[in-house]
């Protein structure tokens, strides 16, 4: 089954990128949604195939599946409306943060580090000559705060005894990298004349789908129970 799912993921992703290359927006959005549904199906498959789950891992899995479910809707929505898409991705990050709380409870240092990381990212964007946020600055700033918080909280998995837990921070960092590059593809706020949008978009989506599939794969075995 794993081979079938991986094959479906690769094929659907390639079709999605072909439609993007051909400039077929409607077909692209449909193919993108199908690609996203594949990683959601993979998450359900891994979670229910794994019959030995501790209570903490069950809670982690349910919250992660909720986040991935929202991501499927967000993947389609952001192509149609950027603010609405950002809002849905923010909700997804909240579910991820709730899932990461199963690793370690919230500490004030998490909030402080999140504030610092968000300020650094936003200051870099504001000082950059490439970005013109306009009315999108506030939703992007709020999303950046939750993205930073989710990434930092995911690092708590490194402290878990089971090395398999390392999958989660790797996925979170890939997601962070994807979102960092994604901002360079949003024509409403950024216009890079020295690099192809297609190249940047391909890199963004490759990182993004790799992250989501790693999140889905993390549900295949309990790494929280000692």
């Amino acid at each position: 089954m794993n081979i079938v799912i991986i094959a479906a993921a690769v094929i659907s992703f390639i079709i999605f990128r072909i439609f993007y290359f051909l400039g077929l927006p409607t077909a692209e959005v449909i193919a993108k949604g199908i690609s996203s549904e594949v990683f959601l199906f993979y998450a359900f498959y891994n979670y229910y195939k794994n019959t030995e789950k501790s209570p903490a891992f069950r809670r982690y899995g349910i919250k992660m599946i909720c986040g991935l479910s929202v991501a499927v809707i967000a993947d389609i929505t952001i192509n149609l409306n950027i603010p609405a898409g950002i809002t849905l991705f923010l909700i997804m990050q909240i579910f991820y943060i709730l899932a990461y709380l199963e690793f370690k409870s919230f500490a004030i240092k998490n909030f402080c580090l999140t504030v610092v990381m968000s300020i650094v990212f936003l200051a870099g964007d504001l000082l950059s000559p490439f970005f013109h946020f306009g009315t999108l600055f506030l939703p992007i700033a709020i999303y950046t705060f939750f993205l930073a918080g989710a990434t930092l909280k995911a690092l708590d998995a490194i402290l878990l005894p089971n090395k398999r837990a390392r999958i989660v921070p790797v996925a979170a960092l890939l997601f962070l990298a994807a979102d960092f590059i994604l901002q360079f593809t949003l024509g409403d706020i950024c216009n890079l004349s020295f690099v192809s949008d297609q190249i940047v978009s391909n890199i963004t989506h490759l990182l993004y789908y790799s992250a989501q599939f790693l999140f889905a794969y993390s549900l295949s075995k309990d790494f929280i129970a000692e």
Side-chain angles (χ1 to χ4, degrees):
M1 178 61 76
N2 280 326
I3 295 177
V4 173
I5 295 174
I6 291 173
V10 172
I11 292 171
S12 61
F13 181 79
I14 291 174
I15 293 174
F16 158 47
R17 299 317 296 166
I18 289 175
F19 286 147
Y20 170 79
F21 177 78
L22 294 176
L24 303 173
T26 302
E28 176 196 347
V29 171
I30 294 173
K32 186 179 184 182
I34 293 173
S35 295
S36 300
E37 288 174 357
V38 174
F39 68 63
L40 179 59
F41 173 79
Y42 190 44
F44 275 106
Y45 169 75
N46 283 324
Y47 182 75
Y48 288 104
K49 181 189 71 171
N50 178 11
T51 57
E52 298 181 359
K53 299 187 284 287
S54 64
F57 190 81
R58 287 180 185 275
R59 293 192 296 269
Y60 164 79
I62 291 172
K63 295 168 187 174
M64 182 57 66
I65 287 175
C66 287
L68 291 171
S69 299
V70 174
V72 173
I73 303 173
D75 283 340
I76 299 172
T77 304
I78 199 166
N79 278 64
L80 306 174
N81 185 289
I82 291 177
I86 291 175
T87 301
L88 287 170
F89 274 118
L90 186 151
I91 295 172
M92 178 203 69
Q93 294 295 350
I94 292 175
F95 275 117
Y96 287 173
I97 292 172
L98 292 174
Y100 304 151
L101 287 173
E102 300 300 333
F103 307 154
K104 186 179 178 182
S105 59
F106 180 80
I108 190 63
K109 69 176 182 180
N110 294 124
F111 178 79
C112 295
L113 289 173
T114 297
V115 171
V116 172
M117 185 174 175
S118 302
I119 291 174
V120 170
F121 279 163
L122 291 170
D125 285 347
L126 287 174
L127 295 174
S128 169
F130 306 117
F131 296 105
H132 309 281
F133 294 101
T135 58
L136 287 176
F137 177 76
L138 182 58
I140 288 175
I142 295 173
Y143 175 72
T144 298
F145 176 79
F146 282 92
L147 172 64
T151 305
L152 292 170
K153 199 74 187 73
L155 298 180
D156 285 342
I158 297 174
L159 302 176
L160 296 177
N162 193 329
K163 292 183 179 180
R164 187 183 179 85
R166 311 304 190 268
I167 294 172
V168 176
V170 169
L173 290 171
L174 286 174
F175 202 112
L176 178 67
D179 271 355
F180 175 77
I181 298 175
L182 174 65
Q183 62 185 337
F184 293 98
T185 70
L186 301 177
D188 292 342
I189 66 172
C190 180
N191 184 18
L192 295 180
S193 58
F194 55 86
V195 64
S196 169
D197 285 345
Q198 291 182 351
I199 293 176
V200 177
S201 181
N202 284 332
I203 294 173
T204 298
H205 285 93
L206 183 60
L207 291 171
Y208 169 76
Y209 281 101
S210 296
Q212 298 292 52
F213 270 95
L214 282 178
F215 283 136
Y217 176 68
S218 73
L219 303 180
S220 61
K221 189 175 181 180
D222 190 341
F223 54 79
I224 298 179
E226 297 185 17

